[in-house]
Amino acid sequence: MPNANEDNPSALNQVQSRAVSELLRVSPVADELARRFQEAGFSLALVGGSVRDALLGRLGNDLDFTTDARPEDVLKIMRPWADAVWEVGIAFGTVGGQKDARVGDVSQSFQIEVTTYRSEAYDRTSRKPEVSYGDSIEQDLVRRDFTVNAMAVSLPEKEFIDPHGGLDDLAARVLRTPSTPEASFSDDPLRMMRAARFAAQLDFEVAPDVVAAMKAMSERIEIVSSERVRDELNKLVLSAHPRKGLTLLVDTGLAERVLPELPELRLERDEHHRHKDVYDHTLIVLEQAMALEENGPDLTLRLAALLHDIGKPRTRRFETDGRVSFHHHEVVGAKMTKKRMTELKYSNELVKDVSRLVELHLRFHGYGTGEWTDSAVRRYVRDAGPLLDRLHKLTRSDCTTRNKRKATALSRAYDGLEERIAQLQEQEELDAIRPDLDGNQIMEVLGVAPGPVIGQAYKFLLELRLENGPMEYGAAVSALKEWWAAQN
């Protein structure tokens, strides 16, 4: 598509013109910042995702700019103007900042990134890209990942720049690369994962030649650091259409290198179809978990849904009676989850929470459909701890049977469990279950000093509390003395 700055007003139709106008209307900082660059002898353009999102009508307050100014010049321009400036990405030519401005009658805070025209590429052995600066916006745009991210609006003159047909691809909802996909992915292999991520975020199709290059070059992703892979995976999983992106990762072979447990779920069915497709089941569970989210995307819940059955391939057994079993797959899966998430450099807290949910996702079924005892309810709540709400969602999502009668029965059974939990929570403060005697009281009753025996006594009283509910002080003392006598 020809550039708007070639005196061709047809480059943007009226709807697109309104989108860019709206972008600039709600972003008064753009013109103001551009004038400062212009006065310093540099150019500035809104670029990439900001332009794409404006055209899609989904622009937020994060604005990306590109410039011919070097980072040290960008700092000189932004420091007197922005409310805050940071240099975290300056090694890669990016200066960040925050600017508060009034949009109509509303005060808003804008997050700004200004990046010097650049190109970056990996060599065959380095895990870090080499960055070199360019001198033209055309050179900058051709090095970008996809044509829909290779559009710009030069400021303050507001000329639309689209040398690679990104506007057409945006209309067609397709992801293509500005240069050949082979050259693009060789420069930065992470772009293969970004293709899957953008497909999931935007619900776009990926061009056939791009998919072919992803299949042919999937091993190149191994040169990318675990942290960068993890960040792209998070964005994909948190998107509106994660199935689309995950399927692309699996079909191209990328998942085998970054999340091999996922393609391993594609267990071959035996001739009698005695077990369901675990891979497809997993994607359905993920989507059903998403439908239960209440306060936006929940990474912990979504990762738990994605990984909850990864222990099945290692535990599958064909029983003599014709059934297929996966005994203890939740325990095996929890260990596998911990290992994979640790390798992807997730935080210890997130690793612990997701692994725990994987370990507990079958706990409900262990009680059958009968009436839950108070003791069982207490233990369920105690073991879930702060993850209880997520465990509710994961357990409900794990029902993918097409048998409506069975699905209804399971749903009612879980309704019953949640009602029992609510009843006991009112009576016993289940969220803070602890023994009826504390450590000091235990030492006083037993007449002993601090030591291992106090922990043993505490554990005994906790089990008693879980089994029988709250006890009066005198009853707890009697039980403790009886236990102590049995120990001696």
Side-chain angles (χ1 to χ4, degrees), residues 284-300:
I284 295 173
V285 171
L286 173 58
E287 291 174 328
Q288 292 185 166
M290 290 167 57
L292 296 177
E293 291 172 335
E294 298 168 304
N295 299 304
D298 182 342
L299 182 61
T300 303

Side-chain angles (χ1 to χ4, degrees), residues 179-195:
S179 59
T180 66
E182 291 80 8
S184 180
F185 297 155
S186 180
D187 286 346
D188 186 352
L190 190 67
R191 290 172 177 168
M192 294 185 286
M193 287 201 66
R194 286 168 66 85

Side-chain angles (χ1 to χ4, degrees), residues 135-200:
D135 298 311
S136 70
I137 194 168
E138 288 77 17
Q139 182 183 356
D140 181 81
L141 293 178
V142 75
R143 66 95 186 166
R144 291 180 177 264
D145 50 11
F146 303 104
T147 60
V148 296
N149 296 330
M151 299 178 285
V153 177
S154 63
L155 301 170
E157 58 270 23
K158 303 179 182 62
E159 292 179 346
F160 184 64
I161 304 172
D162 182 23
H164 304 289
L167 195 58
D168 286 341
D169 289 340
L170 196 69
R173 305 179 68 81
V174 64
L175 291 173
R176 291 190 306 108
T177 54
S179 59
T180 66
E182 291 80 8
S184 180
F185 297 155
S186 180
D187 286 346
D188 186 352
L190 190 67
R191 290 172 177 168
M192 294 185 286
M193 287 201 66
R194 286 168 66 85
R197 188 251 288 187
F198 281 122

Side-chain angles (χ1 to χ4, degrees), residues 36 70-81:
R36 294 184 65 86
R70 295 299 190 257
E72 58 271 18
D73 296 312
V74 175
L75 282 172
K76 291 177 183 178
I77 295 169
M78 288 187 62
R79 274 182 172 144
W81 172 80

Side-chain angles (χ1 to χ4, degrees), residues 172-366:
R173 305 179 68 81
V174 64
L175 291 173
R176 291 190 306 108
T177 54
S179 59
T180 66
E182 291 80 8
S184 180
F185 297 155
S186 180
D187 286 346
D188 186 352
L190 190 67
R191 290 172 177 168
M192 294 185 286
M193 287 201 66
R194 286 168 66 85
R197 188 251 288 187
F198 281 122
Q201 284 183 330
L202 303 174
D203 196 18
F204 279 21
E205 299 302 320
V206 180
D209 63 327
V210 176
V211 174
M214 292 168 69
K215 291 179 178 179
M217 301 177 67
S218 61
E219 81 284 352
R220 282 283 283 153
I221 196 65
E222 294 178 1
I223 203 70
V224 182
S225 70
S226 298
E227 291 87 348
R228 296 187 76 203
V229 168
R230 174 204 64 208
D231 291 347
E232 284 299 323
L233 183 62
N234 285 350
K235 292 173 184 177
L236 189 162
V237 170
L238 290 171
S239 70
H241 308 279
R243 173 191 280 262
K244 194 164 196 171
L246 293 168
T247 299
L248 187 59
L249 290 182
V250 170
D251 291 346
T252 57
L254 281 164
E256 292 179 15
R257 302 178 185 279
V258 300
L259 193 65
E261 294 81 3
L262 184 59
E264 287 175 5
L265 292 176
R266 296 180 297 181
L267 300 176
E268 294 182 4
R269 292 190 180 192
D270 60 281
E271 59 181 331
H272 300 295
H273 298 272
R274 288 173 292 190
H275 66 85
K276 57 191 171 185
D277 184 335
V278 182
Y279 171 69
D280 188 59
H281 162 77
T282 294
L283 297 180
I284 295 173
V285 171
L286 173 58
E287 291 174 328
Q288 292 185 166
M290 290 167 57
L292 296 177
E293 291 172 335
E294 298 168 304
N295 299 304
D298 182 342
L299 182 61
T300 303
L301 176 63
R302 293 193 184 193
L303 287 174
L306 183 63
L307 300 173
H308 78 284
D309 271 350
I310 61 173
K312 278 190 171 180
R314 296 189 185 181
T315 58
R316 181 173 62 160
R317 297 289 184 271
F318 293 95
E319 306 293 350
T320 55
D321 61 1
R323 296 182 302 107
V324 177
S325 68
F326 303 97
H327 293 309
H328 306 301
H329 76 266
E330 73 281 12
V331 177
V332 173
K335 294 178 180 178
M336 293 171 64
T337 295
K338 182 178 181 180
K339 181 175 185 294
R340 175 57 52 199
M341 291 185 66
T342 300
E343 290 180 356
L344 287 171
K345 306 297 177 64
Y346 280 97
S347 69
N348 291 336
E349 182 179 2
L350 189 59
V351 172
K352 179 182 177 181
D353 287 349
V354 175
S355 301
R356 187 63 168 156
L357 285 170
V358 172
E359 182 181 3
L360 294 175
H361 82 272
L362 282 186
R363 181 68 61 87
F364 163 73
H365 300 283

Side-chain angles (χ1 to χ4, degrees), residues 469-486:
M471 300 175 66
E472 296 291 339
Y473 176 79
V477 168
S478 297
L480 178 59
K481 288 181 176 179
E482 184 177 336
W483 171 82
W484 182 239

